[in-house]
Amino acid sequence: MMSPVPGPEAPATGAAAASSLSPASPPLLQLRGVDKHFGAVQALYHVDLDLPAAQVTALCGDNGAGKSVLTRCIAGIHQPDHGEILWNGKPVHIRGPRDAADLGIEVVYQDLALADNLDIVQNMFLGRERVHRGLLNEDSMERAAAETLRNLKVTTVRSIRQPVASLSGGQRQAVAVAKAVMWNSKLVLLDEPTAALGVVQTRMVLELVRTLRDHGLGVMVISHNLNDVFQVADRLAVLHLGRKVAEGPVADFDLQNVVQYMTTGSAHR
Amino acid sequence: MAKVEDELGRTALDEEVEPTAAAEIAAPPEILAESLGEYIRAWGRRVAGGESGALPVVLALVIIAVAFEIWTQGLFLSPQNLVNLFIESMVFMTLGMAEIFVLLLGEIDLSAGYVLAVAAGIAGLLVQKPGPNWPWWLAIITALVCSGVTGAVWGLLVSKLHLPSFVVTLAGLLIMWGVMLVILGNAGVVSIASRILVNQHVLYQIVWGNIPPVAGWVGLAVLSLLFAGITISRDFGRRRKGLVAPPPGLTILKIAFFVAAGIAVVAVCNVNRGSSLVVLAGVPWVVPIVLVVLLLWVVLLQRTKFGRYVYAIGGNPDAARRAGISLATVRTWAFALAGVTAGFSGILYLSWQGGTSTNVNGGQYVLYGVAAAVIGGTSLFGGRGKIAQAVVGGLVIGAIYNGLYLQGVQVQWQLIATGLVLVGAVLVDTLSRRGTLSGSATRI
Ligand SMILES: Nc1ncnc2c1ncn2[C@@H]1O[C@H](COP(=O)(O)OP(=O)(O)O)[C@@H](O)[C@H]1O
Ligand SMILES: [Mg+2]
């Protein structure tokens, strides 16, 4: 199905500088010349993008710029028309969400794929339940879920057995993220994780994003909110009408030129 | 642009809603409480917040019982009548269980009443002599398999062709009605009331045979010990391992309630309801048989992947799909299991009536089945409900049916009364759903 097994992992901590500088370890995931069209609409045009391990890459762009399509190409929901995807430097074909999951790529979707009527543990293990002699092994799942939440410093939920319907927006987002990262994932894509959240809850989710990075995961965050982006991102890339018009360390950007890139596709540095 | 406005609008709506109070209402009290007192207080908050759980239906049952007891001047709660009521309720209960399988998915099965009728017809015909004269167990299995296959067909139409289950099973209702008329033929009646033919007699004894009183007590003792052992080892085991567990007081209360209910049922059934010459006492066999089916379905829905997926699909089909769950497979199986359970209620019907005929009103029965599930607390909108709720719901319907019958009230009033109770149940369901929806809208 999918070609190479992921190579040796990037070092877990303090890898931020190392993984982008040392030529020995290529970025976790690279897009090279990715095109994607739907009928007459060219949603992505020759996009190159690097997503290194242990760094947060923010993907910015106006509505319709192609951010969600790009995410879905990485997640295996769309197949690029042209171009290639490199995982640890080796070309891979991601033919579906299963392939992506097998590589260690998890997506937290804009609309949160959680079932309101199930509790936190049940949601985190949905589709990958642990069974013992044909029956669900609730104890084992509950312990693993609790540990994941502890590692991510998600401590505001009162009980991991409460239904997701009773959680706040930030807590729900945290559960969705925890669900994504508990499968040994190496790259997490977050589509507008703070779009519907208030200030306190946004802060909590951004903190969670930093925790993921500190655990050595590659993170890509899509966001409209440039405040969030500058708070949390190490790197920044801008899409404009399907073209990548800028990419680099966050220090190379300021609020003004990012807005210019997003709206016009170019800017004075 | 519209999207930005939307997002701004939602952000503006949301602001800083840290839902501590709301969360305490929506979360089940047993997972938040540390002690029995705390549990009761959390439960009280939930009821006050509109999440009343099993309270309305239990209250309804008590009110119905007291009202009929007064109205019938002590006839309603007499041991003899209570046993009748249990027996009559069994068909409603099992039809309710059948509906819960599909209601949990947010679907409905309108064919269940005539699946019941066809299953009763098949089992009844297969034990005729002269005729096939099959062994009773083979007749039962054949009827159940046919019912399951029927359900699977509806399930395939719903899940593969994306037809609405309401329409598919409405067609199913008509088809099975026709099938029932075909298999019962010109005579239109099948009897299994022979006392000489063993295979007929066994079927008849399912409902009308009784467990000897002493054996009833022994069985209850064994059952109680099993229940207590399993509950204690699970709850206290989880508590010891630091997992979420109900407060110890609640565990004890659960066991006490189970034992008390068991004692009440056995005591009532063991009163002689015959005469001083011909003693008629004991728990009807149908009670433990339905209990076993109930237990099987509880385990299937609460303790297996399949059950988990049924709830997930009912709660959020997109989430289930993204989790890699095959929606079509789970839906088809749920319809098949609803069919099997409806077939099982057909066997009970056959036994209860000592036969079956073309007069079975499958349209009315299926509505009683849906009503039993909804009155018990299962949501029509999917994702919320428990198989055991069919037991309480079935008892409510059985009680109305039985009490009005005792008073000699005409059938039209039975229909009207049951309909009113159903409207009340749907109202509770819709109001509590609206409550949680408006609650979560401010929380997203
Ligand atoms: N499945 C699809 N079929 C057709 N067009 C699509 C599809 N998905 C996205 N598009 C188009 O591709 C462009 C980029 O969309 P999208 O990636 O959703 O933008 P955004 O950056 O706001 O997430 C838009 O013009 C959109 O209409
Ligand atoms: Mg988008």
Side-chain angles (χ1 to χ4, degrees):
Chain A
M1 275 262 276
M2 100 232 143
S3 326
V5 181
E9 292 179 44
T13 41
S19 70
S20 59
L21 295 181
S22 119
S25 62
L28 194 55
L29 185 119
Q30 291 168 284
L31 302 183
R32 287 288 165 263
V34 167
D35 284 335
K36 180 69 196 173
H37 71 92
F38 299 98
V41 181
Q42 190 77 26
L44 294 177
Y45 189 84
H46 241 76
V47 173
D48 295 336
L49 182 69
D50 288 357
L51 299 176
Q55 294 198 32
V56 179
T57 306
L59 185 63
C60 305
D62 209 347
N63 281 325
K67 307 182 296 293
S68 295
V69 171
L70 185 118
T71 311
R72 290 200 289 265
C73 282
I74 301 175
I77 294 168
H78 297 322
Q79 309 301 314
D81 303 327
H82 298 285
E84 57 179 4
I85 300 178
L86 308 181
W87 180 256
N88 285 317
K90 299 182 197 100
V92 286
H93 291 285
I94 305 175
R95 296 209 175 80
R98 279 270 164 238
D99 282 1
D102 288 346
L103 286 173
I105 302 172
E106 292 285 341
V107 188
V108 180
Y109 290 96
Q110 213 162 350
D111 50 0
L112 302 172
L114 299 178
D116 265 355
N117 58 334
L118 300 184
D119 66 35
I120 296 177
V121 181
Q122 294 171 341
N123 264 294
M124 285 175 67
F125 275 89
L126 189 58
R128 319 191 214 195
E129 289 80 3
R130 291 185 185 165
V131 288
H132 180 64
R133 295 207 210 108
L135 298 184
L136 295 171
N137 192 346
E138 297 285 354
D139 293 6
S140 148
M141 291 193 279
E142 188 174 320
R143 261 195 300 266
E147 197 192 317
T148 304
L149 289 175
R150 240 192 335 271
N151 285 342
L152 296 176
K153 305 194 183 78
V154 179
T155 49
T156 59
V157 295
R158 283 194 66 182
S159 164
I160 57 173
R161 282 299 179 183
Q162 69 190 90
V164 161
S166 67
L167 299 180
S168 75
Q171 290 171 328
R172 290 166 63 93
Q173 195 65 255
V175 170
V177 171
K179 176 184 177 186
V181 301
M182 82 177 300
W183 306 104
N184 241 332
S185 48
K186 304 191 173 64
L187 177 65
V188 181
L189 314 176
L190 298 149
D191 195 348
E192 309 255 10
T194 58
L197 301 183
V199 180
V200 175
Q201 299 181 15
T202 298
R203 205 180 301 142
M204 170 185 150
V205 170
L206 295 182
E207 193 50 50
L208 184 58
V209 169
R210 285 189 205 104
T211 310
L212 296 182
R213 176 194 57 197
D214 295 345
H215 280 274
L217 278 77
V219 184
M220 184 179 87
V221 179
I222 294 180
S223 185
H224 269 100
N225 188 331
L226 294 181
N227 278 330
D228 294 1
V229 166
F230 279 99
Q231 270 187 53
V232 78
D234 303 305
R235 304 175 69 258
L236 204 155
V238 184
L239 281 182
H240 180 66
L241 301 177
R243 289 169 202 269
K244 189 197 75 185
V245 292
E247 180 180 359
V250 78
D252 295 357
F253 296 90
D254 58 39
L255 208 62
Q256 213 178 347
N257 62 20
V258 173
V259 171
Q260 277 178 10
Y261 276 122
M262 282 170 63
T263 50
T264 66
S266 63
H268 316 285
R269 286 235 173 152
Chain B
M1 275 295 100
K3 192 179 159 196
V4 170
E5 276 168 29
D6 177 22
E7 277 164 9
L8 287 178
R10 276 156 76 192
T11 315
L13 243 181
D14 174 60
E15 277 316 308
E16 292 306 287
V17 188
E18 281 296 337
T20 42
E24 273 170 36
I25 289 168
E30 64 270 19
I31 62 170
L32 296 180
E34 287 299 317
S35 70
L36 193 58
E38 216 178 289
Y39 171 86
I40 292 170
R41 279 191 296 279
W43 185 74
R45 273 199 301 278
R46 243 157 79 95
V47 172
E51 284 263 329
S52 38
L55 189 65
V57 61
V58 172
L59 268 183
L61 200 55
V62 170
I63 292 171
I64 290 170
V66 171
F68 276 131
E69 178 70 0
I70 296 169
W71 197 16
T72 61
Q73 289 159 8
L75 221 55
F76 184 78
L77 290 181
S78 68
Q80 177 167 5
N81 188 58
L82 280 177
V83 175
N84 275 340
L85 193 156
F86 292 153
I87 289 175
E88 286 159 6
S89 303
M90 292 299 164
V91 171
F92 304 133
M93 287 180 193
T94 47
L95 271 181
M97 292 180 200
E99 289 297 338
I100 285 176
F101 272 106
V102 287
L103 288 178
L104 281 177
L105 293 170
E107 311 281 353
I108 196 161
D109 183 355
L110 295 176
S111 74
Y114 280 107
V115 170
L116 167 153
V118 170
I122 291 174
L125 287 168
L126 288 179
V127 293
Q128 292 306 303
K129 187 179 177 183
N133 194 25
W134 284 16
W136 57 271
W137 52 269
L138 197 55
I140 291 178
I141 290 174
T142 309
L144 294 184
V145 169
C146 290
S147 310
V149 169
T150 312
V153 171
W154 313 152
L156 284 172
L157 290 172
V158 170
S159 60
K160 295 280 188 203
L161 301 182
H162 303 287
L163 304 178
S165 59
F166 186 89
V167 178
V168 169
T169 59
L170 186 60
L173 181 154
L174 295 172
I175 294 169
M176 296 313 279
W177 192 351
V179 170
M180 173 195 79
L181 294 175
V182 169
I183 64 171
L184 291 181
N186 288 334
V189 188
V190 174
S191 165
I192 57 151
S194 160
R195 285 177 174 266
I196 307 147
L197 299 172
V198 174
N199 291 318
Q200 290 191 19
H201 195 55
V202 170
L203 289 185
Y204 185 81
Q205 290 291 95
I206 291 175
V207 166
W208 297 110
N210 297 314
I211 303 172
V214 177
W217 286 119
V218 174
L220 176 65
V222 172
L223 218 60
S224 301
L225 283 177
L226 270 179
F227 182 81
I230 291 172
T231 312
I232 288 177
S233 77
R234 196 181 68 206
D235 289 2
F236 285 71
R238 285 179 61 85
R239 182 158 277 267
R240 199 161 357 93
K241 289 186 226 158
L243 300 171
V244 176
L250 184 65
T251 305
I252 305 296
L253 205 66
K254 259 194 297 194
I255 295 169
F257 183 79
F258 178 92
V259 175
I263 290 177
V265 169
V266 175
V268 163
C269 293
N270 279 356
V271 172
N272 182 11
R273 47 187 188 274
S275 62
S276 53
L277 293 178
V278 187
V279 175
L280 181 62
V283 178
W285 276 105
V286 66
V287 173
I289 291 173
V290 169
L291 218 55
V292 167
V293 173
L294 174 70
L295 189 73
L296 272 179
W297 289 169
V298 167
V299 170
L300 185 66
L301 280 175
Q302 307 299 328
R303 297 266 171 270
T304 69
K305 279 189 170 199
F306 168 79
R308 183 63 40 85
Y309 296 167
V310 168
Y311 280 94
I313 293 173
N316 185 348
D318 290 326
R321 194 177 296 113
R322 281 188 187 149
I325 296 167
S326 164
L327 272 59
T329 311
V330 174
R331 284 196 172 120
T332 306
W333 273 105
F335 272 93
L337 287 165
V340 170
T341 315
F344 173 67
S345 60
I347 306 289
L348 299 187
Y349 178 89
L350 178 75
S351 175
W352 176 35
Q353 298 290 322
T356 185
S357 76
T358 49
N359 290 332
V360 182
N361 192 338
Q364 190 179 332
Y365 268 108
V366 73
L367 295 185
Y368 279 155
V370 175
V374 175
I375 289 171
T378 298
S379 173
L380 283 168
F381 307 103
R384 286 195 297 132
K386 294 224 167 90
I387 204 90
Q389 292 171 335
V391 173
V392 198
L395 269 180
V396 170
I397 294 183
I400 296 172
Y401 177 94
N402 172 290
L404 293 177
Y405 179 82
L406 271 187
Q407 269 312 90
V409 174
Q410 306 275 306
V411 66
Q412 54 267 40
W413 294 107
Q414 291 172 26
L415 296 174
I416 291 170
T418 313
L420 288 177
V421 174
L422 178 59
V423 169
V426 175
L427 210 64
V428 169
D429 178 25
T430 311
L431 289 182
S432 69
R433 187 177 127 94
R434 207 171 285 159
T436 38
L437 271 189
S438 62
S440 65
T442 57
R443 267 179 257 140
I444 281 172

